[in-house]
Amino acid sequence: MSILEILTYPNPFLRERTTPVTNIDGSLQELIAAMADTMYAAPGVGLAAIQVGIRHSLLIYDIEADKKNGLYRVLINPKIIERHGEIQSEDEGCLSVPEFRSNIKRAESILVEGVDKDGNPLQVEADGFHAIVLQHEIDHLNGKLFIDHMSALKRQLFKKRFKKKLSKSDE
């Protein structure tokens, strides 16, 4: 079992855009397995490679958060190609923005193209919570955090609260 360090806000690496995966080999499979161990240990329902300091366009997720069965899915080089409707993601959180949650507007359903862990092309149709998780993780691959979807006022309050928390931890 290999647990990776999850980068947290305000680490500037989280704002980087990822690069496409071009080589699906044994080292990538090891990274995927370590990401799964990390996601389940955190615990979370999704994890993008950028969150563990790797600039690959790669994410894993398990909307059931079922560590026992480990039925996580892998998306390499995912792209959202269709979005429909709007849904309120209630109490959305992020492993890279610990101890903070917010309601976020997301597309209600999406169609994603990418490749699986073996390099086979795939399309994923997702709605509801499944769509929210995929949008959240794909945002990471594009250097965005869920806090970027909040209103300017809520984002200001978050940053103020975050700075206050940092100053207390420095004491």
Side-chain angles (χ1 to χ4, degrees):
M1 187 169 186
S2 180
I3 305 296
L4 305 169
E5 178 187 355
I6 297 173
L7 303 178
T8 57
Y9 177 87
N11 188 312
F13 194 76
L14 292 168
R15 298 306 193 160
E16 300 282 325
R17 293 181 71 88
T18 58
T19 56
V21 173
T22 55
N23 192 15
I24 298 174
D25 58 11
S27 65
L28 187 73
Q29 300 305 324
E30 288 174 14
L31 172 61
I32 290 168
M35 285 175 61
D37 289 344
T38 303
M39 176 184 71
Y40 288 126
V45 295
L47 188 66
I50 196 82
Q51 291 178 271
V52 293
I54 308 292
R55 198 177 275 116
H56 290 330
S57 182
L58 161 70
L59 64 87
I60 66 166
Y61 68 99
D62 180 351
I63 60 173
E64 303 297 323
D66 187 359
K67 179 181 180 175
K68 188 174 128 191
N69 290 318
L71 298 177
Y72 64 89
R73 298 195 54 195
V74 176
L75 275 171
I76 299 170
N77 302 331
K79 299 259 187 282
I80 298 173
I81 57 170
E82 289 182 22
R83 297 173 193 264
H84 301 284
E86 190 175 277
I87 191 171
Q88 184 81 7
S89 163
E90 294 183 21
D91 210 27
E92 188 168 324
C94 180
L95 297 176
S96 290
V97 188
E99 300 176 28
F100 183 77
R101 303 184 83 73
S102 184
N103 296 343
I104 305 293
K105 287 183 183 173
R106 299 278 189 186
E108 185 173 16
S109 65
I110 59 172
L111 178 63
V112 177
E113 284 185 343
V115 296
D116 67 13
K117 68 183 180 77
D118 299 313
N120 301 310
L122 73 123
Q123 286 192 335
V124 177
E125 292 182 44
D127 59 10
F129 183 64
H130 189 185
I132 290 167
V133 169
L134 288 178
Q135 290 170 86
H136 179 107
E137 298 308 328
I138 291 170
D139 273 354
H140 278 298
L141 303 179
N142 294 310
K144 291 183 81 175
L145 298 172
F146 83 104
I147 58 175
D148 299 333
H149 293 282
M150 297 186 317
S151 70
L153 179 61
K154 279 187 178 177
R155 203 167 33 258
Q156 291 285 118
L157 290 170
F158 162 75
K159 288 179 179 179
K160 190 175 184 178
R161 190 179 321 161
F162 183 80
K163 285 179 184 172
K164 188 175 183 179
K165 181 181 158 193
L166 276 182
S167 66
K168 283 185 179 179
S169 67
D170 290 340
E171 294 175 356

